[in-house]
Amino acid sequence: MNYLGIEYEMRNIPSLDPGFIPFGVWMEAYRKGAGVPIAVAVEKNGGEITVRHTKIYGTPERAEADYRYAERYVKFLLWSIGGFRVSICGAPAIARRLQAAYSPTGERAFDYDFFQKLYERPLEILDLPLSACPAPNENPRPIGGHMEGCRIGFDAGGSDRKVSAVIDGEVVYSEEVVWTPKTMPDPRYQYEGILDSLRTAAAKLPRVDGIGVSTAGVLIGNAPMISSIFYCVPRERWDEVKTCYDRAAAAIDPKIPIVVANDGDVSALAGAIGMDCGRLMGLAMGTSEAVGYVDAQRNVLGWISELAFAPVDLNEDAMVDEWSTDIGVGCKYFSQDAVIKLAPRAGIALDSAQTPAEQLKAVQALLDAGDARAREVFENIGVYLAYAVQQYSLFYDLQVLMVLGRVMSGAGGEIILAASRRVLAEQFPENTVRIVLPDEKTRRVGQAVAAASLPALDS
């Protein structure tokens, strides 16, 4: 197969998406012929810098392939690592094109706006000689795993909030409350709901030694900077959002330590505790694609891992993500949107009046009834997943991929798992990543206990 003059091999083509061009496969094929060294340095808060060295062709006849590779490569780095400054070192022509793309009026205007809001400063693309590439300065940090004492674990979701009272790692009380934070522009709604849950759990404990929070969104410290929980809150009230969790904990007791973490990282932590391992990525297929990661020492990297908006498919006719306005990004391949995208191609007519969650359930019901078309949908997602494992392994040190979420529930999850393992073994036998569902121990640990384990207590 050929894309932009680069020959690549695909042994397994998703039957319902024959135009799929896996970015990881094409990337490795492209690199085999590239010989001009360049570097990309991504900087974020605290002077943390991640540097990746790679190569391009650097010839006029490969200019479009060079730019396509670099543009998708930089996009993946931004949405996995995060950052407010990207230095393109040794490729001035590419740097100039990326400066135009990542601007308020460029093709990556959404990305520019997102990272400006996240870091509260404009996103910069710098053109530097290779010799001036910044030095790496990475700071992995431990996350959770503290079980001693009386703790509260809180999980803020988009449709419900869960809280657990935990004593020495055992849940003594748990509660789930339906709420609608995504539609509420007044952040007092979210604050009062959080405080109500914390107070409920605190009443079930003899004392509160620590509070851990798992929340959707991207954080700096304990402050949500971008979050679907506060989707409708105007930016002029964002100071209330950034202090929301800290203020709620202080209302319980200002001396209690609180740690807030991204829900994807907390899921990865739960898997690492349950399976007693590191180098683990948790990938949840639900409303969107949610990802978290812990390294070999069960540290988090300080990365945002928002892979829902990172590229996985180079097909220029791929479905557009209506929010980010880009094509080929993860949320259309590893979420209920993937099922909704593929079902009509398999000949399944969906009811447009239904919500996406209801449409997913309709396809799952067909599968349970033995419908071969529904089976094909989930098999195709499994093919996607195998190619994503190969790609993600190029950016993360991976040993285990734990897949969860409503798309993975029931028979569909088993089909996805089997298909992904088969394709991985056939096309990437050298890749030793294990793709697993959460085991029973991990389910017992759960999001609440993992969240409760976040704060370290003074000895």
Side-chain angles (χ1 to χ4, degrees):
M1 296 182 175
N2 186 293
Y3 177 64
L4 294 178
I6 306 299
E7 297 287 341
Y8 66 96
E9 181 184 13
M10 276 183 74
R11 297 179 195 168
N12 293 270
I13 298 172
S15 58
L16 300 174
D17 192 359
F20 177 64
I21 304 173
F23 178 36
V25 170
W26 186 86
M27 181 193 311
E28 291 202 299
Y30 167 92
R31 287 174 170 175
K32 288 178 181 177
V36 177
I38 69 168
V40 179
V42 182
E43 181 178 350
K44 54 186 187 297
N45 284 5
E48 294 184 26
I49 300 174
T50 299
V51 178
R52 293 288 181 265
H53 292 272
T54 186
K55 294 180 180 180
I56 60 172
Y57 284 80
T59 60
E61 57 270 26
R62 286 284 186 265
E64 287 308 307
D66 282 349
Y67 180 70
R68 184 67 165 157
Y69 168 70
E71 190 273 326
R72 295 287 87 180
Y73 188 73
V74 166
K75 172 134 184 168
F76 194 96
L77 292 180
L78 271 173
W79 287 98
S80 55
I81 298 167
F84 56 78
R85 182 177 294 123
V86 180
S87 299
I88 309 299
C89 309
I94 288 173
R96 287 193 295 271
R97 288 185 67 175
L98 288 173
Q99 286 169 343
Y102 285 90
S103 70
T105 58
E107 62 181 343
R108 299 277 74 83
F110 170 86
D111 307 62
Y112 178 89
D113 182 64
F114 180 95
F115 289 102
Q116 179 171 260
K117 288 177 179 175
L118 175 57
Y119 295 103
E120 298 181 323
R121 58 188 296 172
L123 173 64
E124 297 179 83
I125 307 290
L126 303 184
D127 173 15
L128 298 178
L130 186 58
S131 59
C133 181
N137 179 32
E138 301 193 69
N139 184 31
R141 57 205 64 130
I143 180 174
H146 310 289
M147 296 297 182
E148 75 285 2
C150 300
R151 298 166 173 269
I152 296 173
F154 178 72
D155 180 25
S159 57
D160 53 54
R161 49 185 167 89
K162 305 179 186 72
V163 71
S164 292
V166 180
I167 300 178
D168 294 330
E170 295 295 325
V171 176
V172 297
Y173 175 80
S174 187
E175 178 183 79
E176 183 173 316
V177 177
V178 174
W179 71 339
T180 55
K182 293 182 177 181
T183 62
M184 297 298 177
D186 185 344
R188 287 178 295 186
Y189 173 86
Q190 290 88 341
Y191 171 78
E192 289 167 3
I194 294 163
L195 181 57
D196 177 70
S197 288
L198 297 186
R199 282 176 170 161
T200 298
K204 307 298 180 181
L205 293 169
R207 65 183 188 279
V208 180
D209 298 318
I211 297 172
V213 174
S214 165
T215 184
V218 184
L219 305 158
I220 294 179
N222 284 350
M225 303 302 292
I226 301 283
S227 175
S228 60
I229 303 301
F230 304 95
Y231 182 77
C232 287
V233 176
R235 293 307 291 188
E236 58 266 24
R237 297 193 65 180
W238 211 257
D239 284 347
E240 296 172 68
V241 171
K242 290 190 287 186
T243 60
C244 194
Y245 292 115
D246 285 338
R247 286 186 290 115
I252 302 296
D253 185 335
K255 298 186 293 296
I256 295 172
I258 175 174
V259 175
V260 186
N262 170 265
D263 54 0
D265 284 342
V266 176
S267 291
L269 172 63
I273 294 171
M275 287 182 261
D276 191 23
C277 69
R279 300 170 58 201
L280 182 144
M281 176 181 284
L283 191 161
M285 301 188 203
T287 304
S288 186
E289 176 190 8
V291 172
Y293 174 80
V294 294
D295 70 10
Q297 288 73 45
R298 301 186 194 175
N299 294 325
V300 290
L301 305 179
W303 294 11
I304 65 172
S305 292
E306 289 288 334
L307 300 190
F309 307 108
V312 294
D313 182 7
L314 296 180
N315 179 10
E316 294 173 23
D317 294 320
M319 179 178 283
V320 175
D321 171 42
E322 55 279 355
W323 193 47
S324 68
T325 71
D326 203 355
I327 58 172
V329 295
C331 61
K332 295 301 181 186
Y333 299 78
F334 307 112
S335 73
Q336 62 192 16
D337 283 359
V339 175
I340 294 165
K341 175 185 77 173
L342 295 173
R345 301 181 189 182
I348 298 172
L350 298 175
D351 183 352
S352 60
Q354 291 183 322
T355 66
E358 289 169 338
Q359 290 176 329
L360 168 63
K361 287 181 180 178
V363 179
Q364 290 172 324
L366 288 173
L367 179 65
D368 291 340
D371 193 306
R373 301 170 302 168
R375 182 180 188 87
E376 188 177 13
V377 167
F378 291 100
E379 285 177 343
N380 273 242
I381 295 173
V383 175
Y384 287 153
L385 184 60
Y387 285 114
V389 168
Q390 178 267 343
Q391 178 185 326
Y392 292 171
S393 297
L394 301 176
F395 295 90
Y396 292 80
D397 179 19
L398 272 185
Q399 179 184 43
V400 177
L401 179 73
M402 181 180 70
V403 282
L404 58 162
R406 66 172 67 100
V407 176
M408 292 300 301
S409 63
E414 295 293 343
I415 293 168
I416 290 171
L417 200 65
S420 62
R421 288 171 172 169
R422 173 183 58 79
V423 173
L424 202 63
E426 289 177 4
Q427 182 145 3
F428 310 107
E430 72 287 352
N431 192 309
T432 59
V433 174
R434 292 187 293 121
I435 309 173
V436 301
L437 295 169
D439 61 13
E440 189 55 41
K441 184 178 179 184
T442 301
R443 290 188 180 96
R444 286 200 305 272
V445 170
Q447 199 87 351
V449 174
S453 81
L454 291 173
L457 307 183
D458 293 333
S459 55

